[in-house]
Amino acid sequence: MNSRFDPSPAAVPPRGQLLLVSICLALYLLFCLQQIVLPFRFFGMTLSLGSVTMLGCMLAISAGSLVRHGVPSELVRPLLAILMCIAALSASVLASNHIGLACAFAVRYATSLLALWAMLSLAAACPRWPRAATLAALIAVWFNLALAGAVWFQWPGALRVALAFHPEETFKYLPRISGMYEHPALLATSAAMVLLLVLRLQQRGEVGRISLALALVGAVLALALTQVRNTLLPVGVLMAWWAWPRSCTSNRQRHIARVALGGIAVLAVFVLWLRYPDMTSAAQENMMTAFTLGRTYLWSGALDAWREHPWFGLGAGVFQFMVPDYTGGRFHRGELHAHNLLLAALSETGLFGLLAGLALIFALWRPLLRIAAERQWAIAWLILVLGLSTFDFYFPFFPFSMHAALAVASLHAGHCAPSQADGVSRSTT
């Protein structure tokens, strides 16, 4: 790990890299414009400038990569797994009693899967691209914090800018902050994921201490100001895993991880103190409700929905609109999803969707776990992403799926050169 800030070309990007960072940042901000509505509808639902632009860019990147490079041999299995997930989504739509609603959400999920494929293809063709995208994501974290602070202090014009990114209902979470996103948890998880992305680059000598410090301070501020609890748990588990004595980690790394674990504990106490009124209100029912803030009812309802529709589920995104029927009317329609990745997959896409998702995880992580240089980081990302998905379900939201896709692309960059794409790979497309 670098012990000082190195102003070498590896740490300070040249003009070309600065341009690439600027392009990535501009596209990221454009994709987040989810409240600028286009003048046409899709199955009764509005389309935003951000989602349509994202879909168009990812289609263009994917098509261009296939034409120029084909499919690298290392990406054949991920591509097949992505196609399996799209097939499972299609089956859940066709089997749903709410086809219009399921189709609209299936397109959202498919866009995230397409973004994953586009980023993998781009990383194969340009292994330095994930570094530029990570730096752009780091700048976006601080843009989020600045926008959230401006809204919090009611600076002129800040509210108008924020409403281009998320709906006005988001402000019901104040004094918690959300930045450009529609929920504070998305800002907290995004900042934590960016910190892990930057930490990996810093260990590889691709960025210096200043970038790492900005990522660390940004993550701490986001976690404290969003008051999100469920993000602290997987981050704490990840730090505990790094702090555990193993041959692949040095004493210095373990010491840093232990210090970070102590800091997370302090942050958790601070967040629990801020959220104490919510917890005491929920505790009037029972302690489990206080601990999960009502998630147990959602989990039970999602399980019941899956039992009724075991093979294909209710349809992509449908459970959140049926949640009152499965929770005794405790929640409003369209308000809450299953708040667990496993139960969300089962309730929305059934057993077929779950198997397709597991196949995708296997196809993406199996080759990484075989590479000694990437094994520790591959496990770290599994701990973080799966841990974040234990008490919540973030994949329908583009800020989370985009960062997750960037993380996977960053891990695969350099291990799937486009020159390795052969005729067999091309025929797969």
Side-chain angles (χ1 to χ4, degrees):
M1 186 178 293
N2 281 0
S3 59
R4 61 184 178 84
F5 175 69
D6 180 12
S8 64
V12 179
R15 181 176 300 177
Q17 277 282 14
L18 285 173
L19 177 61
L20 189 55
V21 170
S22 301
I23 293 173
C24 290
L25 179 60
L27 288 175
Y28 185 88
L29 296 177
L30 184 59
F31 295 160
C32 289
L33 290 173
Q34 295 295 318
Q35 293 304 306
I36 297 182
V37 179
L38 297 177
F40 51 88
R41 300 173 71 87
F42 176 72
F43 281 101
M45 301 185 71
T46 58
L47 295 176
S48 68
L49 175 63
S51 58
V52 171
T53 305
M54 177 179 168
L55 179 59
C57 287
M58 296 309 164
L59 281 172
I61 292 171
S62 300
S65 178
L66 287 174
V67 170
R68 294 190 62 184
H69 306 295
V71 181
S73 58
E74 290 84 353
L75 295 184
V76 171
R77 288 182 178 177
L79 175 59
L80 293 176
I82 289 173
L83 293 175
M84 284 179 59
C85 290
I86 294 177
L89 284 172
S90 302
S92 74
V93 171
L94 295 175
S96 177
N97 294 327
H98 307 273
I99 292 182
L101 186 60
C103 185
F105 275 85
V107 170
R108 179 183 296 186
Y109 291 143
T111 300
S112 295
L113 290 169
L114 181 64
L116 172 61
W117 171 249
M119 290 189 182
L120 285 171
S121 301
L122 202 54
C126 180
R128 292 186 178 183
W129 166 81
R131 174 183 181 274
T134 297
L135 293 175
L138 174 58
I139 297 171
V141 168
W142 281 95
F143 179 84
N144 269 286
L145 292 171
L147 178 61
V151 172
W152 195 356
F153 290 107
Q154 299 181 352
W155 288 1
L159 179 61
R160 189 180 303 109
V161 173
L163 289 177
F165 295 103
H166 60 71
E168 191 170 359
E169 290 78 9
T170 302
F171 296 117
K172 69 183 179 182
Y173 298 110
L174 290 175
R176 300 166 66 190
I177 67 170
S178 58
M180 297 186 297
Y181 310 138
E182 57 191 282
H183 195 283
L186 292 172
L187 176 54
T189 55
S190 297
M193 296 171 81
V194 169
L195 174 58
L196 190 55
L197 282 165
V198 173
L199 185 61
R200 178 175 177 269
L201 290 181
Q202 204 272 342
Q203 190 183 59
R204 291 163 61 93
E206 296 183 37
V207 298
R209 280 189 170 183
I210 291 179
S211 295
L212 181 59
L214 288 172
L216 178 60
V217 175
V220 171
L221 287 175
L223 289 170
L225 296 176
T226 57
Q227 304 175 27
V228 174
R229 302 180 306 161
N230 59 306
T231 305
L232 293 170
L233 181 60
V235 172
V237 171
L238 180 57
M239 291 300 103
W241 176 72
W242 260 325
W244 192 264
R246 299 193 314 279
S247 58
C248 60
T249 55
S250 64
N251 290 331
R252 182 172 178 270
Q253 288 175 322
R254 289 195 293 269
H255 176 70
I256 294 174
R258 293 188 188 107
V259 173
L261 192 59
I264 292 169
V266 173
L267 193 57
V269 172
F270 174 72
V271 169
L272 290 175
W273 174 69
L274 291 174
R275 301 294 300 276
Y276 183 73
D278 294 339
M279 296 178 63
T280 52
S281 175
Q284 295 176 6
E285 186 166 347
N286 57 63
M287 289 305 298
M288 185 56 70
T289 301
F291 177 74
T292 66
L293 292 182
R295 284 171 170 80
T296 50
Y297 300 110
L298 293 168
W299 296 339
S300 178
L303 201 57
D304 290 340
W306 172 61
R307 290 195 186 103
E308 291 185 5
H309 304 81
W311 300 112
F312 304 106
L314 292 170
V318 172
F319 174 73
Q320 70 187 77
F321 294 90
M322 303 291 292
V323 70
D325 303 330
Y326 291 99
T327 59
R330 289 180 178 273
F331 307 100
H332 298 297
R333 297 187 187 276
E335 182 182 41
L336 296 170
H337 47 72
H339 280 72
N340 177 273
L341 176 60
L342 175 63
L343 295 175
L346 287 173
S347 63
E348 294 188 11
T349 59
L351 189 59
F352 281 10
L354 177 63
L355 293 177
L358 291 175
L360 179 58
I361 293 175
F362 180 79
L364 291 173
W365 259 267
R366 182 172 179 266
L368 295 173
L369 294 174
R370 291 184 169 186
I371 303 172
E374 299 294 354
R375 186 177 300 120
Q376 183 178 185
W377 291 105
I379 295 174
W381 275 107
L382 273 179
I383 292 173
L384 183 62
V385 173
L386 296 182
L388 289 171
S389 302
T390 301
F391 291 97
D392 224 320
F393 180 47
Y394 295 111
F395 283 97
F397 304 100
F398 291 145
F400 181 84
S401 60
M402 292 288 287
H403 286 94
L406 174 57
V408 174
S410 178
L411 290 171
H412 279 270
H415 302 297
C416 46
S419 60
Q420 295 174 347
D422 50 23
V424 176
S425 299
R426 288 178 183 273
S427 65
T428 305
T429 64

